[in-house]
Amino acid sequence: MTARIGVITFPGTLDDGDAARAVRHSGAEAVSLWHADADLHGVDAVVVPGGFSYGDYLRCGAIARFAPAMTSVIDAAGKGMPVLGICNGFQILCEAGLLPGALVRNDKLHFVCRDQWLRVENTTTSWSTRYDSGAEVLIPLKSGEGGYMADKPTLDRLEGDGRVVFRYVGENPNGSRGDIAGIASESGRIVGLMPHPEHAIDALTGPSDDGLGMFYSALDALGAVAA
């Protein structure tokens, strides 16, 4: 079975093309999903990509969370479908209640664009099994509102349950609590992170191919074969 992974496009999405390319690079079929269409077209997993959905009006991800496509994603995620939220996609998943916490303005109030080292903390999610625990990976980061925030009980629960998937290495780029770069749902099938693995799938065009492991992990979780 060749996995079919959907990539949602909202008004203002920037990285849907690169996310679809990463899906294809992993050997899966990339399926374009339109924000206004509630039909997920039978996909096996969904990527909510980065960008500035709806111009980031009100709050990053606050409007996108109510799009018909996201209503279907919320329902499918509740039934076990793997979902990956990247940058703005992470913000949307938090707004949708699929992941806890929120992403706020970077602590130095500047947009950050750089290649960022991350440490892999959890290798049991649907999107991280291809990594070794403690491995350091180089992934591009580009965001103005990427500081992960949550109250202390939520942070304690994430840390205690091992749901921090990726952590920033070295200088914290945005003031995220606990240097958190990415987290998982309780089931481990939903993951959100601020850095962009889809920009690190080929050492020729990115700083590394370290991001490809996330897409291979999803294929493993789905029991799929690369095309």
Side-chain angles (χ1 to χ4, degrees):
M1 178 190 79
T2 299
R4 303 177 73 248
I5 300 180
V7 179
I8 302 179
T9 299
F10 300 95
T13 296
L14 300 179
D15 298 309
D16 46 344
D18 281 358
R21 177 173 175 266
V23 168
R24 291 192 296 270
H25 210 70
S26 72
E29 177 187 350
V31 179
S32 295
L33 301 176
W34 184 238
H35 70 105
D37 186 357
D39 187 354
L40 298 183
H41 301 284
V43 299
D44 304 301
V46 169
V47 176
V48 187
F52 302 90
S53 59
Y54 299 93
D56 281 348
Y57 289 113
L58 293 183
R59 190 172 58 248
C60 297
I63 299 177
R65 171 261 179 275
F66 292 102
M70 278 306 302
T71 299
S72 298
V73 168
I74 292 167
D75 181 60
K79 298 174 182 175
M81 178 181 285
V83 178
L84 176 66
I86 303 169
C87 196
N88 186 223
F90 185 13
Q91 296 164 337
I92 293 169
L93 295 187
C94 289
E95 289 286 343
L98 292 176
L99 291 172
L103 286 306
V104 303
R105 185 69 57 89
N106 294 346
D107 59 347
K108 293 184 173 60
L109 306 182
H110 290 183
F111 189 92
V112 173
C113 184
R114 71 190 197 195
D115 297 332
Q116 175 68 46
W117 286 100
L118 309 176
R119 185 169 59 252
V120 182
E121 302 281 7
N122 181 332
T123 60
T124 66
T125 79
S126 295
W127 301 91
S128 62
T129 54
R130 285 291 186 107
Y131 298 106
D132 293 327
S133 182
E136 294 188 0
V137 296
L138 187 61
I139 307 287
L141 173 70
K142 50 175 193 176
S143 54
E145 299 189 33
Y148 180 75
M149 297 291 158
D151 60 20
K152 188 176 186 304
T154 299
L155 291 169
D156 289 345
R157 187 164 59 252
L158 289 173
E159 297 285 0
D161 293 346
R163 287 167 54 192
V164 175
V165 184
F166 298 100
R167 207 181 299 270
Y168 297 115
V169 173
E171 181 188 2
N172 186 319
N174 48 33
S176 287
R177 298 290 298 275
D179 298 328
I180 291 173
I183 61 171
S185 63
E186 291 183 11
S187 68
R189 298 184 74 79
I190 305 169
V191 169
L193 76 165
M194 285 310 295
H196 287 259
E198 79 280 15
H199 295 333
I201 61 166
D202 185 333
L204 180 65
T205 58
S208 71
D209 61 359
D210 292 341
L212 199 54
M214 298 195 70
F215 299 92
Y216 283 140
S217 297
L219 296 191
D220 292 344
L222 294 169
V225 241

